[in-house]
Amino acid sequence: MGSEEEPSQMRRAVVDSLAGAISGGISRTVTSPLDVIKIRFQVQLEPTTSWGVLQRDVYGPSKYTGLLQATKDILREEGLPGFWRGNVPALLMYMPYTAIQFAVLHKLKTFASGSSRTEDHLHLSPYLSYVSGALAGCAATLGSYPFDLLRTILASQGEPKVYPNMRSAFVDIIKTRGVQGLYCGLSPTLVEIIPYAGLQFGSYDTFKRSMMAWNRYRYSNLNLGSEDDSVSSFQLFLCGFAAGTFSKAACHPLDVVKKRFQVPPVTLQIEGLKRHPRYGTRIESSTYKGMYHALKEIVAKEGFGGLYKGLFPSLVKSAPAGAVTFVAYEYISDWLESIIMIGSKAGVE
């Protein structure tokens, strides 16, 4: 029994990892322009709106003030490639991230439900779905964090570039801050990822269960003679869209704090993120002493609106990103499973 079960577990882990990596890569590349804009807003200390400023004399004028204005500026100053700045480390971060996340998530749900069947996982309580998603997010974050840091630095530096490529940024961080520099901002990231991943996967499962219940109700009312509860591609897209919107809106302030910690001093001579002065005030090494202090400082100097800088491009990006990731994962995992099954049968014959 054990010898027959182990290959199926290994097969499922391979399917989850590959499907997660591919779906993550597709989603990441498609939504990169919005992510670049979001990061530019998040690391900008200057206010983006007049209503969010409590102390107007603290900072100067903003480089970016709105989604359309930021899009025009980046296109004019950096061209189309500017919207995919930092996409290589982002892919190196996001593909292993989603691979680890989906593989660990399936394993945890299998443990919780006592079954490896995906259909049985939908019967888990929302609480267990939340906990499984949170733990899977933590595991994925630990495994891919250095690439997240490099992505943030490259995406936020603007023009003229200080780091021409990922290698130069990596070498400078190691030289000036050591290996621990690659994990700068890890604590607020983990604090953010627990509610974010939990809400994302927990709400996705909840929306999917609701959609299945709606399908059963619709079929029974139409007297079609069956209770088909299968979820269509469009319905999966809606579930992922809603889950991405809900989780990102709830956790955005923590993401802002994380980005502020990810761009500390990168040289011993110049404090703050290395970028051209026209991009605004640099984040100094002594600006934030901890996560709670960062939240207080942002609210005190930038208003509550400071905690939601980049929210609009973040939501515009996260909603379709979540939808694309979940839909692509569902279909790619089914496709890989069918290929492996066909290969196994051919091998037996």
Side-chain angles (χ1 to χ4, degrees):
M1 181 71 176
S3 61
E4 292 178 0
E5 184 67 22
E6 192 60 35
S8 66
Q9 290 181 4
M10 180 61 70
R11 183 184 70 197
R12 187 67 234 186
V14 170
V15 167
D16 288 328
S17 298
L18 282 175
I22 295 170
S23 62
I26 293 171
S27 174
R28 176 63 238 175
T29 301
V30 169
T31 59
S32 177
L34 290 164
D35 196 53
V36 169
I37 294 172
K38 180 199 76 168
I39 290 174
R40 298 288 176 92
F41 276 115
Q42 288 180 325
V43 300
Q44 175 178 270
L45 300 188
E46 293 76 14
T48 54
T49 56
S50 58
W51 63 266
V53 186
L54 295 185
Q55 299 178 22
R56 298 190 183 188
D57 58 338
V58 175
Y59 301 119
S62 305
K63 168 69 175 172
Y64 302 115
T65 56
L67 182 60
L68 185 60
Q69 177 268 329
T71 302
K72 288 179 178 178
D73 270 19
I74 293 173
L75 184 61
R76 185 181 67 254
E77 296 170 0
E78 305 168 46
L80 276 176
F83 291 107
W84 278 268
R85 178 154 292 166
N87 194 49
V88 172
L91 285 173
L92 292 174
M93 178 273 291
Y94 209 67
M95 291 181 73
Y97 178 90
T98 48
I100 296 169
Q101 188 176 45
F102 279 106
V104 172
L105 181 71
H106 191 275
K107 194 69 177 175
L108 290 170
K109 286 186 173 181
T110 297
F111 175 76
S113 65
S115 169
S116 62
R117 287 163 50 88
T118 305
E119 310 87 77
D120 296 331
H121 294 173
L122 286 173
H123 300 304
L124 287 173
S125 69
Y127 170 76
L128 286 175
S129 292
Y130 174 89
V131 172
S132 298
L135 292 175
C138 283
T141 298
L142 289 171
S144 60
Y145 187 79
F147 294 109
D148 186 20
L149 178 75
L150 291 169
R151 180 275 306 252
T152 298
I153 290 174
L154 291 178
S156 62
Q157 64 179 342
E159 286 286 352
K161 290 190 286 188
V162 176
Y163 298 119
N165 51 48
M166 183 173 65
R167 182 180 177 278
S168 64
F170 176 82
V171 170
D172 189 59
I173 291 171
I174 292 293
K175 189 184 299 182
T176 58
R177 287 186 276 163
V179 176
Q180 66 270 24
L182 294 173
Y183 291 89
C184 187
L186 178 61
S187 296
T189 301
L190 289 175
V191 172
E192 177 216 2
I193 206 65
I194 291 174
Y196 176 71
L199 285 172
Q200 186 181 37
F201 283 98
S203 59
Y204 178 75
D205 286 347
T206 300
F207 293 139
K208 190 176 178 181
R209 279 193 294 266
S210 300
M211 200 65 77
M212 292 170 69
W214 161 251
N215 287 344
R216 284 194 297 270
Y217 171 78
R218 186 161 55 91
Y219 272 89
S220 63
N221 276 9
L222 291 174
N223 297 317
L224 296 178
S226 67
E227 291 190 0
D228 185 9
D229 63 356
S230 58
V231 185
S232 68
S233 302
F234 180 68
Q235 289 176 326
L236 286 174
F237 184 88
L238 288 179
C239 291
F241 192 94
T245 302
F246 176 62
S247 55
K248 179 55 70 175
C251 303
H252 189 77
L254 295 173
D255 191 40
V256 171
V257 173
K258 179 188 83 170
K259 291 295 188 292
R260 297 290 177 90
F261 274 99
Q262 284 184 328
V263 285
V266 288
T267 66
L268 296 178
Q269 295 79 20
I270 304 175
E271 290 192 333
L273 174 65
K274 286 166 63 176
R275 55 180 179 170
H276 196 277
R278 72 181 179 189
Y279 287 89
T281 307
R282 290 196 302 264
I283 301 172
E284 305 297 334
S285 61
S286 58
T287 301
Y288 307 124
K289 298 180 177 64
M291 192 167 183
Y292 178 67
H293 181 253
L295 287 168
K296 282 177 59 180
E297 284 292 296
I298 291 171
V299 171
K301 295 182 178 179
E302 304 168 50
F304 282 101
L307 295 175
Y308 291 92
K309 281 182 176 176
L311 177 61
F312 184 63
S314 181
L315 288 178
V316 173
K317 172 232 169 186
S318 296
V324 170
T325 300
F326 281 117
V327 173
Y329 171 77
E330 298 259 7
Y331 279 93
I332 292 171
S333 61
D334 288 344
W335 177 66
L336 290 173
E337 185 74 23
S338 64
I339 288 178
I340 292 175
M341 287 291 290
I342 292 171
S344 300
K345 288 179 181 177
V348 171
E349 292 173 0

